Amino acid sequence: MVNTTKWLAAAVLCAAAAGAQAQVNQIKVWAAACANCHGTDGRAEPGGIALAGQSKNDLLQKLLDFKAGKRPATIMHQLAKGYTDEQLADIAGYFAAQKK
């Protein structure tokens, strides 16, 4: 019985790890959509707005402001509306974790 419990616990941990990895991969896919304007992993070319290494809270607030139409934009307000607030928080966290 003890062995069965250990194997079951190990299986649950493996499944949770796989689910966490799938979430990380999904966030990378969402963030890749930003590369055209903000560079790979948020490291923009000269003249562009870099996202890498900025504060998660600042990035999230900007994204939410775009989504709500409080911040002027040519396209960001439309893009931000395509994500939930939680997805925007994940994207902001991703860029905040990137090195400048």
Side-chain angles (χ1 to χ4, degrees), residues 31 34-35 37-45 48-54 94-95 98-100:
C34 308
C37 298
H38 298 287
T40 303
D41 292 329
R43 291 185 288 280
E45 295 295 321
I49 298 173
L51 304 176
Q54 287 193 33
Y94 173 82
F95 285 118
Q98 303 306 306
K99 294 185 180 187
K100 292 183 179 186

Side-chain angles (χ1 to χ4, degrees), residues 3-95:
N3 263 352
T4 303
T5 304
K6 287 181 183 178
W7 282 107
L8 183 58
V12 168
L13 288 174
C14 286
Q21 184 60 41
Q23 177 66 15
V24 168
N25 289 339
Q26 181 59 59
I27 295 167
K28 286 182 180 181
V29 169
W30 294 331
C34 308
N36 285 338
C37 298
H38 298 287
T40 303
D41 292 329
R43 291 185 288 280
E45 295 295 321
I49 298 173
L51 304 176
Q54 287 193 33
S55 159
K56 176 183 177 179
N57 290 336
D58 289 345
L59 287 170
L60 178 56
Q61 188 59 56
K62 289 174 186 175
L63 289 168
L64 292 173
D65 287 347
F66 283 128
K67 184 176 180 179
K70 295 178 183 177
R71 190 175 177 98
T74 55
I75 193 167
M76 277 303 304
H77 62 288
Q78 295 170 351
L79 295 172
K81 288 179 184 178
Y83 296 97
T84 66
D85 292 356
E86 293 79 19
Q87 289 170 330
L88 292 174
D90 288 340
I91 293 167
Y94 173 82
F95 285 118

